[in-house]
Every structure is written in structure tokens, then in C-alpha cells.
Amino acid sequence: MCGIVGYIGYEQAGPFLLEGLQTLEYRGYDSAGVCLNDGSELIVKKAKGKLKVLRELTNEGNDLKGTVGIGHTRWATHGEPSDVNAHPHLSESGRFAVVHNGIIENYQQLKDSLTAKGIEFRSKTDTEVIAQLIEYYYKGDLVDTIIKVLGRLDGSYALGVISQENPDEIIAVRKESPLIIGLGENENYLASDVTAILARTRTIYRLENDEIAILSRDGVKIINTDKDPVEKQTETVDWDVNAAKKGGYEHFMFKEIMEQPKAISDTIAPRIRDGRVVLDEIGLSAEELKKFNKINILACGSAYHVGVVAKYIFEKMLRIPVEADLASEFRYRDPIINDKTLTIVISQSGETADTKEAMKEAQRRGSHVISVVNVVGSAIAAESDDVIYTWAGPEIAVATTKAYSTQLAVIYLMALYFGDMLGTIVPDEYKALVNELEQLPEKIEAVLENKERIQYLASKFFNSRDVFFIGRNIDYALSLEGSLKLKEISYIHSEAYAAGELKHGTISLIEEGTPVIALATHEELIGKIVSNIEEVKTRGANVMCIACDTHKELEGIGETVFIPKVCDMLLPSLAVIPLQLFAYYVASLKGCDIDQPRNLAKSVTVE
Ligand code: G6P
């Protein structure tokens, strides 16, 4: 969602602010803006729409004067996307400027009380109340003022504040919304996301709730809301700077699809030692594990789809009931969960508001939480009991691919690790599965090589209005992800259906020429899915089928794409590749904005 950058140093801030905002584009936004102190006043430039508009308006930032500034990409919540609602927001007199990620829940009350005092608001945003409150309380010390303002705010925030009177400082503070400080030489940076400053520095402070950072050119001071100094360790970010660049590819999504063999290998390899899965990150003994009588998986979006795959795998291999739950639903339904439930939380960003709150709810009810997270140090990683990182590296395209795949890889590792501890997997099976898991990256490589075939099929289907995905068992779980990928980036309506459920309703929507993508990889149920394919073909469907190369008889059942045969548990990792590529090529043929689909945000930090 929204993104923050800030710069204070000896260079002109404009070009860096624009550069930083560009790296944050992937998070999803609908307007952007910057504010610089030019030595005598605060100058704001902001514009609705893509960053391109702001870049043109400011000549790539070169027309902006000043060595201190803040910038923002806004994803509208309060107030429509518009120039005036874009951040930064100024106080009434223009002496203070604020950028804000998060939501101020009591903004209407605050706004009403300030309006009653004669203060005029320009925008419809919740953020403007912060700028107005700062001016209202200001008596000469900006830090004191901000501390006072924080006491009046309910909700979540990451804030960057600059003032007209002090061109030598940026003040930053956060609560429930990430904010990091980058340390450079004679210059320092502010960002909501490490990718914004990766090209400049690897040394960062990660602010905790209610810590206030005072950035100057020569240093950064961190204090708490009592103004006591906070001793913090710096962190070194080891993400490759090129990982956040397109590297010759037209789209991040395609690059990230192609990176999957490496991402999976990076996630799996360090955790298999001498033929055994080692998950040192999990602090549970076999005795503790045995006391759980249920596994509860919480996530949103694609991460939830990983949870649905995990349900099939865990129940089969661990013989424990598993519930995969949408985090946004779980929170508000008085869930039945206690210290006998093991909770697994899955999130690429580690910041998704619904997932984070659902996790807290599970913890409140006594459940032990293991998180599966990609972004190191993110809130979910920090607050869960154990964290297993997916080593996917930065994922920039809004539609997830490599993060989804590495999450699946962690699920396989957990199934083997827990199965071994619980004694539900026999040694021969365990050995064979570990062996196959180690070969997974190579097999994915082989599927990726077949991309031209998928490109050809995309050209046959890209004009469709509706597409149906069907599958059974693990193939059904995967079809949920295939369908989501297609609709999020190509805007084609699609539905994922459990193939056995078709006859109970959806089949009435199948007519001459309706595309149906049938997943037919799950060995035990081939006969059943073939019958379902025949049912839709009889009604005119145009079938594309994904099957294992051991079932060549499916060649003529439709337009069939073969993947290498692997054990059932690992099939989703191979079968998802053609689905990702299909969505990508269809969206490309339709000329869609693949990396930043309309209305979507990479990391959804509000409910
Ligand atoms: C957003 C993204 C999805 C993602 C979901 C969960 O909706 O657009 O791609 O799957 O959030 O994100 P998380 O960071 O928690 O995995």
C-alpha cells in the first residue's frame, strides 16, 4: 500500500526522493507527492496517478530545491485519489509537512474539534489532522509537539515530518506500520520499505512502536516518547540490490517466475542436512508437538491458498485435523482455538494487517504460532513464537509467484519435519520424499523451459470473458491460485471449482467455447477428473489440461501441458508454473499493467 521515503544530506533531495518512490511503486498506489525545505519554505509537489506525472511535474526531481525532503505514494483510504488528497500534507500555515502510512481511526473527532477552533482543512484525508495538530500544539520544539500529538492519535501510523523552521531535521515515528532508517555518510534516509534505500545503504535501524527517530545530516538519534535515548543495534540488509531491479526483463513478474528454481533452492538447501530436514527455527520438542490436536493456518490471498494446499498435505502426512482460515474471517468469528492448537501464519510481507491481527487473536487464546514469512524483521516475524523465513528475496510484482512457491517449499519441509517427529512417515517414504524435494528446483527449471507452449495457449484464450479452473484434492487447492493469478493481472473473470462440485451448480455456466483449465495431476483421482473434463466438453467447453508426463493418454483430452512426474505432495510446485505463465502471457496480450494491477496493493496494511 502506501510508501514513505525521506532524505537529509548535502545533495539535492529531489532526484533521490523520486528514485525512492519509484522503487515503492510495486506496493500499489494512486497518487504521489514530495515536500522539500528549500531553505526558506516548504515546497510541495503532488499529483494523482502514476509517478510518471510527478516525475514530469518536477523534471525527475531536478527542479526541486532543498537537501531535506519527504515523499509518499498513496493508496487511497480516506478521500478519493486526487492531487489534494495526495501526501505530503501541510498544516494550515504551511510550516509543517507530514507523510503517513496507516489509518487514524479517530480522525473525524480530531478534525471536528480543530474545525471548531477555526482551522481549515484542505483534504478529505485522515493524515491532514496530524499536520494540523502539530501546528496547533507547536510551541518551538517539534519533538515535544509530536509526542503530544501522538497521545491524541488512535490507529496505526508510520510518519515522516519536516518543518519550515528546521531545515536540518526529519522526525520519524511509527506504531503498527513499518518504518526504517537508512544510515549513509553525511546523509540519512527514511523509508517504509528497505527496497527504497537499497541502492544507497545496507545499514539500517528498524524502528519499533513508539520510537522516535531524529534524522540529521550527520547522525540519527532515537528516543522514546519519554524522550529517553533508545540504544539500538544497526542491521545489515543482505538483499541483492539487483534483486529489486528488472535486470533486462520486461516485467518483474516474469523475472520472479523465472527466479523460482533459485528461490526454492535457497529456501530448501540450508534446511536439509545429511538427508534430514532440520528446522532449527522451530522451538518445539516432539513431546510438545504431540500435544497438539489441531493445526490452524491463517493467511490472506495467495498465502491463504498455500494454506489450503497445506491442509491436504498435513492431514495426509501428519494425521492431524487442519483448518485453513482466511485471516480476515478468523478474527471475528470467536474461533475455537487454545493451547492444544498449533497455528501457522503465512505471509510474504509479514505486515498484512488482517494476518497480523488474526495471529494476535490466536496468541491471546494460548496457541503457539509459527510464522512463514519472507521479509526479515517484519511485524509478523517479530511477534510470532517461531519464524521460518522463505528466502525468496524481494518480490516486487504485486501478483506473487516466487513467494508463493517458497511458502509451499516450507510447507513440504514442515510436513517432513513434523511427520518424522510424530512418527507418521515411515523411514523409506521419508528418504524418498527428501530426495525428491532436493530435485525440485531442477524439475521446475524443466517446466519453465516449456514456456512457449503456454504462450501459444494464452494466445488462444486471451479473449475470453470467463475462465473456469477445476481440480480435485491438491489440484483443487492449486486451482484457487491459478484462478486468482489470472483475474488479478488480466482482469478476466475466473472461478476455481472443486471438480466434483461442478455438477452442483457451476456447470450451468459452461457453454460453447467456455475455457476450462483442468488440473489433472493427482494420481489417485485421474479417473475422476477425466470424467469431469468429459462433462464440461460435452457442454462445449474448450479445455486446457495440466497433467503429468506419465499420463500421455491425456494428450488429446484438450490442449494438454505436461509436467514431469513427482510425488503427489510436490506436484503443486510444478503445476503452478504453467498457471503463472498463463496468467502472465494473457495479461501481456491484453496490454495490462502486469506488475501493478489496478486497485491492488502488494502489502495490505489496513483492514
Ligand atoms: C495482497 C497481495 C497478495 C497477497 C496478499 C497477502 O492482497 O496482493 O498477492 O497474497 O496480500 O499478502 P502477504 O504479504 O501477507 O503474503
Side-chain angles (χ1 to χ4, degrees):
M1 290 187 132
C2 307
I4 289 177
V5 284
Y7 173 88
I8 182 159
Y10 293 95
E11 283 178 19
Q12 291 299 312
F16 169 73
L17 292 176
L18 270 287
E19 225 175 83
L21 290 179
Q22 191 172 352
T23 64
L24 295 176
E25 277 194 293
Y26 80 96
R27 299 177 62 90
Y29 71 106
D30 35 47
S31 60
V34 289
C35 176
L36 287 85
N37 186 325
D38 73 357
S40 58
E41 55 178 339
L42 296 180
I43 306 293
V44 175
K45 295 281 176 207
K46 45 192 194 174
K48 179 184 165 184
K50 290 290 179 191
L51 203 55
K52 170 163 152 278
V53 187
L54 186 67
R55 283 213 301 262
E56 279 164 15
L57 195 70
T58 61
N59 180 24
E60 305 292 330
N62 291 310
D63 287 353
L64 298 162
K65 247 187 81 197
T67 56
V68 55
I70 49 180
H72 192 262
T73 45
R74 171 175 189 254
W75 192 86
T77 55
H78 298 65
E80 74 286 357
S82 68
D83 291 358
V84 73
N85 287 336
H87 299 210
H89 287 284
L90 290 176
S91 61
E92 197 175 34
S93 71
R95 286 156 66 207
F96 302 96
V98 174
V99 286
H100 167 218
N101 286 358
I103 286 187
I104 304 304
E105 284 157 10
N106 59 338
Y107 89 101
Q108 194 60 51
Q109 282 153 267
L110 296 169
K111 189 169 178 173
D112 291 347
S113 91
L114 291 168
T115 308
K117 293 180 171 67
I119 294 169
E120 275 185 34
F121 280 75
R122 298 180 188 91
S123 77
K124 295 208 166 61
T125 64
D126 53 340
T127 303
E128 193 181 346
V129 298
I130 305 172
Q132 303 291 18
L133 276 175
I134 292 174
E135 181 159 302
Y136 178 71
Y137 283 126
Y138 186 70
K139 298 233 165 22
D141 184 317
L142 187 54
V143 173
D144 281 345
T145 310
I146 289 175
I147 292 172
K148 198 157 184 183
V149 170
L150 297 182
R152 300 217 48 198
L153 304 179
D154 292 339
S156 60
Y157 46 79
L159 299 175
V161 182
I162 57 174
S163 80
Q164 180 181 295
E165 275 126 79
N166 194 349
D168 301 317
E169 263 177 19
I170 301 178
I171 314 286
V173 59
R174 66 150 251 173
K175 187 178 156 206
E176 305 297 345
S177 186
L179 200 55
I180 59 162
I181 311 295
L183 305 176
E185 277 195 20
N186 299 322
E187 54 188 18
N188 293 301
Y189 314 91
L190 175 67
S192 52
D193 183 325
V194 79
T195 46
I197 55 173
L198 213 52
R200 298 285 187 116
T201 182
R202 299 309 182 85
T203 312
I204 63 160
Y205 285 127
R206 215 177 278 282
L207 285 190
E208 300 293 332
N209 280 347
D210 298 320
E211 285 177 350
I212 301 170
I214 304 158
L215 287 77
S216 60
R217 292 183 174 76
D218 307 318
V220 174
K221 204 166 115 194
I222 299 177
I223 57 172
N224 61 23
T225 46
D226 292 327
K227 293 184 85 175
D228 299 323
V230 177
E231 285 303 317
K232 277 187 90 74
Q233 297 295 323
T234 58
E235 277 177 48
T236 307
V237 180
D238 58 6
W239 274 0
D240 177 3
V241 63
N242 293 318
K245 294 189 178 151
K246 279 192 197 154
Y249 289 98
E250 198 179 338
H251 299 103
F252 278 111
M253 183 179 176
F254 192 70
K255 175 175 177 251
E256 288 160 4
I257 290 174
M258 300 308 282
E259 282 172 352
Q260 291 180 103
K262 177 172 184 313
I264 290 174
S265 169
D266 288 351
T267 302
I268 293 173
R271 289 161 172 144
I272 299 181
R273 292 180 216 145
D274 301 325
R276 304 211 71 76
V277 174
V278 183
L279 290 178
D280 292 332
E281 303 96 323
I282 299 181
L284 291 171
S285 65
E287 282 59 47
E288 286 169 316
L289 188 65
K290 282 179 188 150
K291 85 172 201 276
F292 296 120
N293 56 24
K294 181 177 150 192
I295 297 178
N296 171 41
I297 303 178
L298 301 174
C300 299
S302 295
Y304 164 73
H305 294 158
V306 172
V308 182
V309 175
K311 174 181 165 67
Y312 285 98
I313 293 177
F314 287 161
E315 287 192 339
K316 181 150 195 231
M317 291 176 65
L318 309 179
R319 308 308 300 153
I320 298 179
V322 179
E323 206 169 341
D325 222 327
L326 291 163
S328 54
E329 285 296 309
F330 173 84
R331 289 172 66 182
Y332 298 113
R333 65 170 172 78
D334 197 4
I336 301 168
I337 170 173
N338 53 36
D339 61 353
K340 296 212 165 41
T341 312
L342 174 64
T343 294
I344 299 173
V345 167
I346 308 173
S347 174
Q348 185 282 130
S349 63
E351 301 291 348
T352 304
D354 281 319
T355 311
K356 193 167 70 178
E357 291 309 316
M359 174 179 84
K360 288 186 188 163
E361 185 60 39
Q363 283 174 321
R364 267 194 293 276
R365 290 170 188 246
S367 182
H368 184 96
V369 174
I370 301 175
S371 66
V372 179
V373 173
N374 194 42
V375 178
V376 174
S378 54
I380 291 173
E383 289 167 35
S384 53
D385 298 297
D386 303 313
V387 51
I388 305 180
Y389 283 113
T390 48
W391 297 118
E395 191 178 62
I396 307 296
V398 166
T400 178
T401 51
K402 63 176 179 171
Y404 174 90
S405 285
T406 54
Q407 287 162 355
L408 277 183
V410 170
I411 295 302
Y412 307 148
L413 289 167
M414 284 171 118
L416 287 163
Y417 183 71
F418 289 152
D420 188 30
M421 278 169 111
L422 295 171
T424 52
I425 305 182
V426 294
D428 283 351
E429 190 192 2
Y430 179 89
K431 202 169 154 202
L433 288 173
V434 172
N435 196 13
E436 282 211 63
L437 183 55
E438 285 183 297
Q439 291 170 24
L440 192 59
E442 263 171 62
K443 300 254 167 82
I444 293 178
E445 223 43 280
V447 182
L448 286 168
E449 273 166 27
N450 201 14
K451 56 184 176 310
E452 277 76 24
R453 166 106 177 110
I454 313 291
Q455 192 169 17
Y456 160 72
L457 293 176
S459 72
K460 291 189 73 169
F461 287 94
F462 83 99
N463 266 326
S464 312
R465 199 191 53 187
D466 307 290
V467 175
F468 292 86
F469 288 74
I470 58 170
R472 285 171 173 263
N473 193 280
I474 236 166
D475 281 335
Y476 163 61
L478 185 60
S479 70
L480 294 169
E481 178 61 8
S483 169
L484 179 64
K485 280 285 86 73
L486 183 68
K487 64 188 141 200
E488 39 182 12
I489 62 168
S490 75
Y491 314 139
I492 292 177
H493 165 252
S494 73
E495 299 239 12
Y497 241 77
E501 188 64 17
L502 267 186
K503 289 197 278 292
H504 303 292
T506 315
I507 205 158
S508 64
L509 296 171
I510 306 292
E511 51 189 23
E512 199 56 42
T514 305
V516 173
I517 300 185
L519 300 175
T521 70
H522 190 64
E523 189 64 44
E524 279 171 34
L525 295 167
I526 294 289
K528 303 273 178 209
I529 185 77
V530 166
S531 304
N532 298 132
I533 294 174
E534 294 301 347
E535 284 161 10
V536 292
K537 277 175 64 176
T538 310
R539 284 151 184 92
N542 238 336
V543 171
M544 173 174 149
C545 175
I546 316 281
C548 291
D549 56 11
T550 42
H551 283 280
K552 288 286 189 212
E553 74 280 6
L554 296 182
E555 176 94 63
I557 200 160
E559 293 281 9
T560 303
V561 175
F562 288 107
I563 58 171
K565 174 74 187 151
V566 283
C567 63
D568 277 351
M569 174 177 90
L570 302 181
L571 279 169
S573 289
L574 299 188
V576 77
I577 305 288
L579 302 183
Q580 295 169 340
L581 287 167
F582 181 76
Y584 174 81
Y585 286 126
V586 167
S588 169
L589 286 164
K590 290 188 72 189
C592 299
D593 187 350
I594 294 182
D595 286 337
Q596 292 161 40
R598 69 178 177 222
N599 302 339
L600 293 181
K602 178 80 185 154
S603 156
V604 180
T605 49
V606 298
E607 253 191 78

